[in-house]
Amino acid sequence: MLVDLGINWVILGHSERRALCGEDNEFVAEKVAYALEQGLSVIVCIGETLEQRENGTMMTILNDQLKAIAAKVSDWDRVVIAYEPVWAIGTGVVATPEQAQEVHAEVRKWLADNVSSNVSSKTRILYGGSVNGKNCQELAGKDDIDGFLVGGASLKGEEFVTICNSASEKGSVGV
């Protein structure tokens, strides 16, 4: 139906779908594969809860999410990964730029080690945890943050323009 309407992109794996609809890693991966088969490009969300971050299982959680996707996807050209720390979505709490960069670098390393170095270097990894006009410049300046998946701040015109401009200065706009 999306393709019939001329829609080219779909967001899958958002934490709310995972939590409220019970979409597990394998189901999200199947949806990603199906969307790609239908000709859609996919932004697939990965993320951890605050409890998972604090108890040291964050990277295991993220790696499991990536592993499920990698098992179903062979062509990554139309896949964008959005790292959305669940504890930061809509809360106003944002990962520090250093925390976000650390996770993005680990995701890129996982792709290099488990998919290919080519996929690792070409795949865009967006940050989506309460990005706003105040923190976007510093986040955009990090090496492995390729842009943003913007939620509530997209409803605030001037702030959204600031976010877009910070990403475009890095050359990250174009999803």
Side-chain angles (χ1 to χ4, degrees):
M1 185 163 72
L2 296 175
V3 174
D4 293 341
L5 293 171
I7 296 170
N8 299 317
W9 285 88
V10 63
I11 299 173
L12 300 172
H14 193 276
S15 64
E16 290 171 344
R17 296 282 309 177
R18 290 176 187 263
L20 299 175
C21 300
E23 294 185 0
D24 64 15
N25 295 341
E26 287 70 29
F27 187 68
V28 170
E30 288 173 16
K31 288 174 67 173
V32 170
Y34 182 77
L36 292 169
E37 288 170 13
Q38 301 309 306
L40 292 166
S41 295
V42 176
I43 298 172
V44 61
C45 301
I46 63 169
E48 83 286 355
T49 65
L50 184 58
E51 180 183 351
Q52 292 162 338
R53 174 176 270 280
E54 290 177 343
N55 71 18
T57 61
M58 173 185 70
M59 286 315 301
T60 300
I61 298 299
L62 298 177
N63 291 346
D64 287 348
Q65 293 169 359
L66 291 167
K67 183 178 179 182
I69 296 161
K72 299 284 184 180
V73 173
S74 57
D75 181 0
W76 288 74
D77 287 344
R78 291 179 291 123
V79 177
V80 172
I81 297 170
Y83 168 59
E84 294 196 300
V86 176
W87 49 272
I89 299 172
T91 64
V93 176
V94 66
T96 66
E98 293 73 23
Q99 288 172 318
Q101 168 58 29
E102 176 186 15
V103 173
H104 282 236
E106 286 293 325
V107 169
R108 201 166 302 284
K109 181 181 181 320
W110 189 94
L111 290 171
D113 293 346
N114 295 279
V115 181
S116 76
S117 60
N118 186 45
V119 166
S120 174
S121 65
K122 288 175 51 178
T123 299
R124 288 177 285 176
I125 306 172
L126 309 179
Y127 177 75
S130 292
V131 65
N132 60 52
K134 292 182 177 116
N135 62 26
C136 61
Q137 282 295 119
E138 194 172 0
L139 286 163
K142 297 299 180 184
D143 289 342
D144 292 297
I145 298 176
D146 298 320
F148 306 113
L149 184 61
V150 184
S154 67
L155 302 175
K156 302 171 187 169
E158 191 172 315
E159 186 168 11
F160 188 56
V161 168
T162 300
I163 294 167
C164 291
N165 286 340
S166 73
S168 66
E169 289 169 13
K170 185 175 181 173
S172 302
V173 174
V175 174

